[in-house]
Amino acid sequence: MADKITNIKQLLLKNISRCLQFNFNKNENESKLLDEIAKKLKENEKMILLVQNYDSDSKFIDFIKKANQLCEMFNALLFIEKRADLCKICDTSGIILNKNSMNLKNAKEIIDKDKLFGLKIDDDFNQIEEFDFILVDNINVATDKIKTIKLIKGN
């Protein structure tokens, strides 16, 4: 079963070379941000990362569910940064961790193993082989050990 899940994950990531990050801020115009995401999905973007920048989980959960519906319509992947609980509640494609968030082992205890686990890196390359892919921002990474995807700021 583990090999089957690994193969499916590799197929999902095969043609993805970049990820668009959208920040969900306290005074964010939700419909405008959803329109921006929809526009990018119509332009054939296949990977979206949502980042929560304030403490209201209920409003962010509602937004994630709406963004997830959009991504499903366009066969795109939706990720949440650092929040395994929200990834599980909203049934997103997976989670993106960074060096300041929970560790991979803890995330895998919360989220189903068939979800994708990504690591956003700047310069720390410790244990990258344990992840399904890495997101890189403003650095060049030459590795054949793991799928590398470029992070693009969407808003």
Side-chain angles (χ1 to χ4, degrees):
M1 182 66 165
D3 288 339
K4 184 177 181 181
I5 290 173
T6 300
N7 290 341
I8 291 170
K9 289 179 176 183
Q10 289 171 349
L11 283 173
L12 284 171
L13 296 170
K14 183 179 180 183
N15 295 318
I16 295 177
S17 62
R18 59 191 230 158
C19 175
L20 291 181
Q21 175 179 315
F22 290 90
N23 297 308
F24 192 78
N25 301 307
K26 184 174 184 177
N27 297 318
E28 194 67 54
N29 181 331
E30 183 178 308
S31 61
K32 182 180 175 188
L33 189 55
L34 285 169
D35 286 346
E36 286 181 48
I37 291 171
K39 178 182 175 193
K40 293 300 183 181
L41 292 170
K42 287 177 187 174
E43 294 171 359
N44 210 29
E45 293 294 342
K46 292 297 180 191
M47 188 174 196
I48 304 293
L49 169 62
L50 297 181
V51 178
Q52 181 181 14
N53 286 335
Y54 74 105
D55 292 336
S56 176
D57 284 351
S58 61
K59 188 174 178 184
F60 190 49
I61 287 169
D62 290 341
F63 182 79
I64 294 168
K65 289 179 179 179
K66 292 173 186 173
N68 207 16
Q69 288 177 335
L70 278 174
C71 287
E72 287 174 1
M73 288 173 47
F74 289 93
N75 294 316
L77 302 173
L78 179 67
F79 291 86
I80 307 301
E81 185 176 76
K82 297 191 263 186
R83 296 289 307 270
D85 57 336
L86 299 185
C87 177
K88 182 176 180 81
I89 290 168
C90 299
D91 194 30
T92 63
S93 304
I95 187 168
I96 305 294
L97 301 174
N98 62 33
K99 65 183 175 184
N100 298 321
S101 59
M102 74 168 53
N103 66 39
L104 180 61
K105 181 182 176 189
N106 291 344
K108 286 187 173 184
E109 290 174 3
I110 297 169
I111 303 169
D112 295 334
K113 292 185 180 7
D114 65 340
K115 299 298 183 182
L116 293 163
F117 296 84
L119 175 66
K120 185 165 48 168
I121 62 171
D122 43 24
D123 58 4
D124 185 5
F125 288 87
N126 293 330
Q127 300 174 323
I128 63 172
E129 292 85 8
E130 296 178 25
F131 287 86
D132 297 313
F133 63 93
I134 56 174
L135 290 180
V136 294
D137 183 16
N138 296 324
I139 60 170
N140 293 320
V141 176
T143 180
D144 58 355
K145 293 181 180 180
I146 190 167
K147 172 75 176 179
T148 303
I149 298 171
K150 179 148 180 64
L151 180 67
I152 309 292
K153 307 293 180 176
N155 67 337

